[in-house]
Amino acid sequence: MSFNAFLLHNPWVMALPFGMLALAWSKRATILRHPTIQSGLIRLPIFGGLYRKVILARSLRTLAMLLKNGIWQKVAYAITSEVSDHPEFKAFFLAISERISAGTSPHAAYLLERHRLGAQGRDLANEMRVAAITGEPSEILETVSRVYKELAMDAARAFPKLIEPVLILLLTCLVGFLVAAIYLPNFYAVSFALKQANSHLPH
């Protein structure tokens, strides 16, 4: 009841959420490019895995193409870091580039930097071990890129089904809030009236 009274005396407060949403939408490019936001996006339960696969598919495809065309590895990894367009993946590819420039083999460089990407870093290190044996890193990277692309496509097709429970939960909470906002003031008013009536009854 106090909250309702506050809204009645300050109706402009109800416009704040819409104003904040409009401001966020107008600044969405700047907000989404912030390192903290990007780091948070790849850690979301459902969307994060899809985002990681898309970044890796794009980055590894670019790296494979550059290596296949004879671009110097340091330059190829530097270009790939920019193509990844994500601070953590950019740091990963730049660290690989620095280690290769220092004389470390690609497989050893991936092995030393695998902690930056977690499970996917370990997978890449294993693939580069195969590349070290076969001597075809560009072919291996291109194959891994295709695999990640297919996984990303599968995840994108399944994404609507995965978020259905979340949407249902959000809608349930919204409906519950609206029902409470409509009926609770009435219950409080009736309770208050009964207390007032009981206080005036003779003892």
Side-chain angles (χ1 to χ4, degrees), residues 126-165:
N126 293 333
E127 295 296 338
M128 291 309 292
R129 182 180 181 183
V130 176
I133 296 172
T134 61
E136 294 292 339
S138 61
E139 298 294 335
I140 296 295
L141 289 170
E142 191 172 357
T143 301
V144 175
S145 171
R146 285 198 298 268
V147 170
Y148 276 117
K149 181 180 178 181
E150 292 172 2
L151 290 174
M153 293 297 293
D154 292 340
R157 283 190 288 266
F159 188 72
K161 294 181 180 179
L162 292 174
I163 63 173
E164 279 181 4

Side-chain angles (χ1 to χ4, degrees), residues 82-154:
E82 295 297 330
V83 171
S84 67
D85 198 28
H86 189 280
E88 294 186 18
F89 287 87
K90 183 176 181 178
F92 172 75
F93 287 113
L94 286 177
I96 297 290
S97 175
E98 292 300 323
R99 289 193 180 274
I100 291 175
S101 299
T104 308
S105 66
H107 168 238
Y110 275 86
L111 198 61
L112 291 169
E113 299 297 335
R114 67 187 186 277
H115 63 278
R116 294 178 181 270
L117 299 184
Q120 286 152 338
R122 293 191 294 272
D123 292 341
L124 287 175
N126 293 333
E127 295 296 338
M128 291 309 292
R129 182 180 181 183
V130 176
I133 296 172
T134 61
E136 294 292 339
S138 61
E139 298 294 335
I140 296 295
L141 289 170
E142 191 172 357
T143 301
V144 175
S145 171
R146 285 198 298 268
V147 170
Y148 276 117
K149 181 180 178 181
E150 292 172 2
L151 290 174
M153 293 297 293
D154 292 340

